[in-house]
Amino acid sequence: MSLAPGPADSPGTSRSTSATIQPNILRYLIVVADERGIDLRPLLKQVGLDETVMRSAALRVSYRQGSALIRRALELTGDERLGLKVGAAQHLTAWGMLGFALLADDTLRHAIETGVKYQNLSGAMVVWSAGVGAEDDAFVLRADLPDPAMDPAVAGFLIEEAFASVVTLSRLAVGPAFAPRVVEFSCPPPRQRDLYGALFSCPVRFGAPANRMVIDPAWARARMPGRDPVIYASTLDMLDAQMASRRDQQDLLEVLEISVAQSLPVVPSFAEQARRHTTSERTLRRRLADCGTTYEALVEGVRRERVEQLLLRPELTLRDIARRSGFSDERALRRAVRRWHGTSPVDLRERMLLRARRTE
């Protein structure tokens, strides 16, 4: 099976900071929470978003923003199977141009392969790969986490949402009778399994070596009812252009993040960054707007990551952490951590160290 992991992280920064993901999962998460009488909108500001910008088709969010909102939603709902429900609520229209391309594709297998190829345009928060497995030519779809050290609750949500959305969208495309041969999760067995069988309509295994969905050859060959070779080809041209633009945006964000991370505790001014890129401030600001972010938000993301890294070092005082992260004093650090996490730096450090010990 082919595996297509994301690019390696650049030195001095992390792709979790860059706002490059379409927030499709978060939009459906808000809808599902609304149906349960839980309003997640007040949490948006805590992760640097708000309801107005969430309606923008140009909006991109970071892994950090997405993970933080998912974590709080799990805490508020108390629903360990929330990922399954969010995945089951989705529709191909959420994927925009990519969803249209999948509908115009030839077979279900080819549509899934197209989705894997252009996964960075779908809002996916897992890393997809697909290919023919050893099981009598069955088609195998695999989902991996972008960061193995991710919060286990968030990781479980993302894997369950991923497979639930694939099954739901496949049924919308080729018919409600679609069911995988088997779905495998690498996590331990949950306390309640009824929802898995009801959703996937196939055997579900836990404690597996990898997160996989196995699809019988007959279903993989199922023709897409909206197949249209001409429309499909023209749509791919547009997707290729979007991918090229996305790579340019990612390059810009990573270069700026590295520049800020390497300069801390001093933060380069926006004018200085424009000079380094041999461009005007107006042009650089517009390019960042095209990425769905601002220089101020990018700096805040790098500072936040630096604080979280330093909190894991018990020998450092809060004064040390504030100084190394570019804050004027401990009070400014406390305000920032309260804004990011809704708690104090001391409490956050205790939680992070406890989580780190559990994963050792």
Side-chain angles (χ1 to χ4, degrees), residues 180-227:
R181 177 186 294 178
V182 64
V183 176
E184 298 176 337
F185 293 96
S186 61
C187 63
R191 287 173 293 181
Q192 297 180 339
R193 303 191 194 185
D194 294 346
L195 189 57
Y196 293 89
L199 175 60
F200 294 116
S201 300
C202 72
V204 179
R205 300 171 186 159
F206 298 92
N211 301 295
R212 306 190 318 154
M213 178 183 294
V214 181
I215 301 174
D216 281 322
W219 275 119
R221 293 192 298 267
R223 302 295 294 272
M224 298 293 282
R227 61 188 179 277

Side-chain angles (χ1 to χ4, degrees), residues 8 47 65 76 94 111 126 178-179 192 244 267 278 308:
V47 298
Q65 289 173 313
L76 288 173
V126 299
F178 170 79
Q192 297 180 339
V267 177
T278 62
E308 291 167 358

